[in-house]
Amino acid sequence: MVDQPVKIIVTGAPGTGKTTIIKKLSENISLKKGFYTEEIREKGRRAGFDVVTFEGRRWPLARTGLKHPQIGKYYVFVQEFEDGLKSLFEGDINPDFFYLIDEIGKMELLSFKFNTFIKMLFKSNCNVIATCGKIRNELVEWIKHESDYMLEVTLTNRNQIFKQIQLLVRSR
């Protein structure tokens, strides 16, 4: 059981390394749950995003050129997102696990279940490391307030941010 859980938010502009930090952290954390988003490219252009769990399951989150709820040029598969993460959303929150969430973003926030899950995580007695784009949203503002650490990653500090989080994780 975790005595003092840590809640860390990693924020920053697109392409600064937020997802890379989560993926690298996952390699050194044995008890973990969560997911990361992976960019999908077609003919050298970004065509969407997939959700990939740490158990190795994968499904589409968003694609260009389809008719689903839209964020910019992307159409978001809200139902598929919720179905894929059903075990995460509906399972008990285990304080022995690190919850690694990449990302709390506009696309993911279209899901009511995801919003509810994030609130539960940040109210729980578990460790959470989550990435969050620079967006304005009531839930995002709340989790920033609930977090122990809010770390902004840039191209120049991403290695230092990773090392800082590693030290925080090792202390748990």
Side-chain angles (χ1 to χ4, degrees):
M1 177 81 101
V2 175
D3 293 321
Q4 294 193 333
V6 65
K7 309 282 196 278
I8 302 170
I9 295 293
V10 179
T11 189
T16 54
K18 298 182 301 289
T19 299
T20 301
I21 287 172
I22 290 291
K23 287 169 69 174
K24 285 174 64 176
L25 287 168
S26 75
E27 295 170 6
N28 299 313
I29 299 172
S30 57
L31 292 175
K32 62 186 171 279
K33 290 187 177 193
F35 66 92
Y36 62 92
T37 54
E38 188 170 274
E39 188 178 275
I40 301 302
R41 292 196 164 268
E42 294 175 0
K43 298 180 183 174
R45 301 184 87 164
R46 185 187 291 165
F49 300 90
D50 278 358
V51 174
V52 183
T53 67
F54 294 110
E55 294 81 32
R57 293 183 306 122
R58 165 190 295 268
W59 61 92
L61 172 62
R63 293 291 188 271
T64 57
L66 302 171
K67 294 184 180 185
H68 285 269
Q70 187 170 354
I71 299 290
K73 66 180 181 178
Y74 299 101
Y75 294 91
V76 181
F77 298 97
V78 175
Q79 188 63 52
E80 290 83 348
F81 177 66
E82 291 180 347
D83 290 347
L85 293 175
K86 187 175 184 175
S87 65
L88 189 64
F89 292 158
E90 296 177 356
D92 291 332
I93 294 175
N94 185 333
D96 294 330
F97 280 76
F98 267 88
Y99 287 83
L100 305 174
I101 307 295
D102 174 55
E103 95 175 65
I104 301 170
K106 290 179 183 179
M107 293 179 195
E108 295 84 359
L109 290 171
L110 289 175
S111 164
F112 175 77
K113 288 181 180 179
F114 181 72
N115 283 264
T116 302
F117 176 70
I118 293 300
K119 285 180 189 174
M120 287 174 29
L121 269 185
F122 277 84
K123 289 179 180 179
S124 74
N125 188 32
C126 70
N127 293 295
V128 180
I129 304 170
T131 67
C132 184
K134 292 189 163 199
I135 61 173
R136 294 200 181 263
N137 170 288
E138 186 177 321
L139 177 60
V140 170
E141 295 305 315
W142 179 80
I143 63 170
K144 287 178 180 178
H145 182 268
E146 294 296 310
S147 299
D148 301 307
Y149 299 93
M150 174 97 169
L151 306 171
E152 185 166 351
V153 65
T154 65
L155 291 174
T156 56
N157 77 355
R158 61 185 170 191
N159 291 330
Q160 292 92 339
I161 295 290
F162 173 72
K163 289 175 185 172
Q164 183 178 354
I165 297 171
Q166 267 189 314
L167 290 173
L168 291 168
V169 168
R170 285 186 188 138
S171 69
R172 301 294 160 212

